Each structure stands twice: as structure tokens, then as C-alpha cells.
């Protein structure tokens, strides 16, 4: 595709981010492409994704330089404008950014030359019983030690609403939507619905709905399953539930998960990709479902998700598993598949990715 405008999201505190940013700006200058830094903290306020994209001139490509948190910031912007996103890996333990900093120019050349097939990632969106907002008396406490909060999600006026379906919120999540307790001494009580039917009533510290991409984030820390990012599913997980049933539930994309705050519950906070966006009280509810839009992420080659999982979680270092000193053999995705697996749909080898 032809790239005319690039938006740059930089983690200024990350080592190597400044040098990588200079590489991107120089590449843009050499190719007569407009490059704009997107600073979400400008003017002492926090702005919506739409305002940030407007200020950057609606870039065709968002480049993030940092870790997974920086990528999530960029993903919020890219989803707003259906832009491509390229995540340059300067983090330590993340799963989202896969392009090494030394290869940023090669990645930009491949995007400009239309030699890469973007990877499509599932996003979540919300309907709610009322608009999300944070009470003014909470803002001073919540802002202590951190920057300004994101503004409340806007209501989508183009989506028809009714008494049963609530209102549509103009917001997307790449990782997860979390409903969690506001006070340490009081859990939240929540009725959980799948496809409009009651599944269970929980008393827990938090309840979350994750995408396959987000299955390795908060959901994983809470005991949820690891799901391939290529899968299409919603992953529901309860955090520290006071009940015998503590397993995750995986639903289909067309099976929305509804969370209703029950009468005797304490207040609940709603976070979207780790950002606090609103507070719910008894009787309020949100419905989480697959968004109609997708995130389009740039990858240099086939995504070795399981290789990254193995490295990040150190899955080959169990002493009992390697007692004889010989680790399990690894079959790299860059080699041809064995004959007995050739009929299966396997990832395209990295050396052939540029040919497609």
C-alpha cells in the first residue's frame, strides 16, 4: 500500500527509543512521507483517539516504539482510523511487538512496497446501560502519581439503542475489558450472562473478558488459558472468585458476555486495555462482544507465537524434563514441514514471506 502519513508513538523512557525514532523520521524524509509525533499528554490533558488522530492528520500507518503498553496506545489510535500498525520491540516481556529495532527500516520498506500481508487481530467493543464516566470526587485520588486519565468513551450515535440493548460505546479493546472492585474490603457481585442467558453469579475481585491476543495478559495472570492470537473467541475469567467454580469460559465471537452489577455489590471500575474508563454501581451493566472492525498489524514474517511463549515463560527449563541434558527438539517454522504434516495449513516460511 502507499504510505503518505506516519504517526509515531514513542516511549520516551525506553532505552533505544530515541535512536529508533530518528531512523523512522529519516526514512520518512527520504521517501517524502509526512511523519507526526502523537503525544497523548500534550497541553496537560488526555485526548480521545479521534482527537489524537485528527491532530496527527489521520496517518495511514502508526509506528510504536516501546513495549506492549506503547503498542496498546498505538492500537487504540489505529483502530479508530483503520490504519496499519507496526510495533517495534523495545520491551522486555511482551507479546505484541515483534519487529526488532534494527529491522525497522526493512519493515517500513516492505509496507511501502506492499510486500507484506497485514495480520488481522480481533477487537472487543461495548454496549452499556448508561454512558461510562468517572465521578469527579474520584479523579484526584486516581490521578495521584500518574498522568491525566483518558476521557470517557463516547456514545455511538449512529448505532440504534433500545431498552434491552443499551447504548453503543465508541471504544475498542485489543487485550481485555475488566470490571474490578473499587475497595479492598468489598468484592463485587456480578451476574454474568452469555448470549443473553444467565451463566452464574460471582463474588470476586474482578471479572474480565479478553481477546485471544489478551489471553497472555491479565487473563493469563488470573489463571486463564493461552489462546492463539489467530483464534476467534472471547475468554471470560474471574479473578479470586468466592465460589467453587473458578474456571475460564471461552465463547464464540457471536456470543456476547454481559456483566451486571448486583444489588448488594460494592462499586466497580471498568478498565479497557488497562485504562480506567468508568465506574458502575448496582443495577448497571456492560455487554462485551466482538467489534466489527479489526486491528491490522504489520509482521515481517510468520508470527512465531508459540516460540515467543516458550521463551517468555521459560517452558523448556523444567529440571525434570531435561534431567538427561538433552532438551526437546525444536522444529523451526522457517524449515519445510515434514512429509506427514505437509497437508496441514502451516505458516509461510520467513524466506518466502516477501515473495507473496
Amino acid at each position: 500500500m502507499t504510505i503518505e502519513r506516519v504517526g509515531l508513538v514513542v516511549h520516551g523512557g525506553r532505552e533505544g527509543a530515541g535512536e529508533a525514532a530518528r531512523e523512522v523520521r529519516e526514512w520518512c524524509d527520504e521517501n517524502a512521507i509526512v511523519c507526526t509525533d502523537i503525544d497523548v499528554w500534550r497541553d496537560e490533558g488526555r485526548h480521545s483517539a479521534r482527537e489524537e488522530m485528527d491532530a496527527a492528520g489521520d496517518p495511514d500507518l502508526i509506528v510504536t516504539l516501546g513495549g506492549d503498553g506503547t503498542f496498546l496506545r498505538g492500537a487504540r489510535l489505529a483502530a479508530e482510523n483503520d490504519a496499519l500498525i507496526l510495533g517495534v520491540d523495545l520491551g522486555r516481556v511482551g507479546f505484541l511487538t515483534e519487529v526488532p529495532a534494527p529491522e525497522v527500516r526493512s519493515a517500513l520498506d516492505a509496507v511501502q512496497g506492499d510486500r507484506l500481508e497485514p495480520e488481522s487481530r480481533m477487537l472487543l467493543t461495548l454496549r452499556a446501560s448508561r454512558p461510562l464516566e468517572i465521578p469527579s470526587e474520584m479523579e484526584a485520588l486516581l490521578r495521584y502519581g500518574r498522568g491525566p486519565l483518558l476521557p470517557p468513551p463516547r456514545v455511538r450515535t449512529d448505532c440504534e439503542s433500545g431498552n434491552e440493548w443499551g447504548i453503543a460505546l465508541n471504544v475498542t479493546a485489543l487485550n481485555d475489558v475488566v470490571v474490578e472492585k473499587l475497595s479492598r474490603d468489598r468484592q463485587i457481585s456480578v451476574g454474568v450472562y452469555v448470549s443473553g442467558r444467565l451463566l452464574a453469579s460471582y463474588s470476586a475481585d474482578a471479572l474480565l473478558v479478553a481477546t485471544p491476543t489478551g489471553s497472555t495478559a491479565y487473563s493469563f495472570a488470573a489463571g486463564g488459558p493461552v489462546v492463539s492470537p489467530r483464534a476467534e473467541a472471547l475468554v471470560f475469567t474471574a479473578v479470586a472468585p468466592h465460589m467453587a467454580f473458578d474456571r475460564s469460559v471461552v465463547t464464540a465471537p457471536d456470543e456476547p458476555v454481559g456483566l451486571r452489577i448486583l444489588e448488594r455489590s460494592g462499586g466497580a471500575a471498568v478498565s479497557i486495555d488497562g485504562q480506567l474508563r468508568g465506574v458502575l454501581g448496582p443495577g448497571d451493566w456492560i455487554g462485551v462482544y466482538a467489534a466489527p472492525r479489526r486491528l491490522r498489524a504489520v509482521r515481517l514474517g510468520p508470527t512465531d507465537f508459540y516460540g515467543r511463549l516458550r521463551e517468555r515463560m521459560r517452558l523448556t527449563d523444567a529440571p525434570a524434563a531435561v534431567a538427561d541434558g538433552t532438551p526437546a527438539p525444536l522444529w523451526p517454522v522457517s524449515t519445510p514441514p515434514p512429509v506427514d504434516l505437509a497437508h496441514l495449513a502451516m505458516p509461510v516460511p520467513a524466506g518466502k514471506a516477501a515473495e507473496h
Side-chain angles (χ1 to χ4, degrees):
M1 65 176 289
T2 301
I3 302 296
E4 297 180 352
R5 296 174 299 279
V6 169
L8 203 53
V9 181
V10 183
H11 188 311
R14 187 74 72 195
E15 182 179 357
E19 178 60 32
R22 281 191 291 274
E23 287 284 333
V24 175
R25 295 188 188 103
E26 289 176 2
W27 182 90
C28 289
D29 288 341
E30 293 167 6
N31 290 272
I33 293 173
V34 177
C35 183
T36 305
D37 282 66
I38 303 178
D39 182 6
V40 298
W41 306 107
R42 68 185 190 279
D43 302 329
E44 300 299 325
R46 195 70 186 269
H47 304 271
S48 69
R50 183 67 266 159
E51 290 170 332
E52 292 167 17
M53 291 297 280
D54 288 344
D58 285 337
D60 311 296
L61 173 68
I62 299 291
V63 179
T64 70
L65 306 172
D68 278 3
T70 309
F71 187 88
L72 286 172
R73 283 169 51 194
R76 184 171 63 90
L77 304 176
E80 177 70 24
N81 208 49
D82 194 31
L84 279 174
I85 183 168
L86 187 156
V88 179
D89 187 11
L90 299 172
R92 293 180 290 272
V93 295
F95 282 85
L96 300 177
T97 55
E98 295 187 4
V99 177
E103 298 181 33
V104 63
R105 278 182 171 266
S106 299
L108 291 169
D109 286 337
V111 174
Q112 180 75 330
D114 204 18
R115 299 195 303 272
L116 293 178
E117 184 70 26
E119 181 180 79
S120 177
R121 292 286 182 102
M122 177 181 171
L123 297 168
L124 300 176
T125 191
L126 302 177
R127 279 183 175 267
S129 55
R130 62 176 176 81
L132 291 181
E133 59 183 5
I134 299 172
S136 57
E137 61 269 19
M138 290 182 57
E139 287 197 18
L141 176 63
L142 293 170
R143 289 175 61 174
Y144 177 74
R146 59 199 300 177
L149 298 169
L150 282 167
R154 292 172 293 138
V155 173
R156 287 195 59 178
T157 56
D158 60 321
C159 287
E160 187 176 334
S161 63
N163 293 331
E164 295 182 355
W165 286 93
I167 59 173
L169 300 180
N170 191 21
V171 66
T172 55
L174 175 60
N175 267 355
D176 49 42
V177 176
V178 180
V179 176
E180 55 193 329
K181 66 181 185 180
L182 283 172
S183 175
R184 288 191 63 188
D185 62 355
R186 190 171 186 186
Q187 290 193 311
I188 53 171
S189 298
V190 181
V192 177
Y193 299 76
V194 175
S195 293
R197 296 177 65 86
L198 180 66
L199 171 69
S201 296
Y202 287 83
S203 179
D205 283 357
L207 302 169
L208 64 90
V209 182
T211 64
T213 297
S215 70
T216 52
Y218 189 7
S219 178
F220 177 82
V226 174
V227 181
S228 167
R230 298 174 59 192
E232 298 289 312
L234 278 68
V235 182
F236 164 76
T237 302
V239 181
H242 279 211
M243 59 189 299
F245 182 76
D246 61 355
R247 298 295 188 265
S248 297
V249 176
V250 180
T251 74
D254 60 353
E255 296 175 329
V257 177
L259 307 172
R260 181 186 294 275
I261 310 301
L262 302 179
E263 182 180 357
R264 296 181 180 275
S265 175
V270 179
S271 297
I272 300 171
D273 279 349
Q275 295 283 342
L276 181 62
R277 305 301 296 274
V279 173
L280 301 176
D284 294 331
W285 61 265
I286 60 170
V288 185
Y289 56 100
R293 67 181 72 172
R294 311 274 298 188
L295 183 73
R296 298 186 299 135
V298 173
R299 295 287 183 255
L300 287 181
T303 299
D304 187 12
F305 170 74
Y306 301 103
R308 178 159 291 208
L309 178 68
R310 182 186 66 246
E311 294 170 2
R312 292 292 195 257
M313 303 301 172
R314 300 183 179 180
L315 301 184
T316 57
D317 65 353
V322 293
D324 58 357
T326 304
L330 300 177
W331 170 37
V333 296
S334 58
T335 61
V339 175
D340 60 328
L341 297 181
H343 66 290
L344 301 177
M346 304 303 293
V348 178
K352 295 184 179 180
E355 301 173 10
H356 290 267

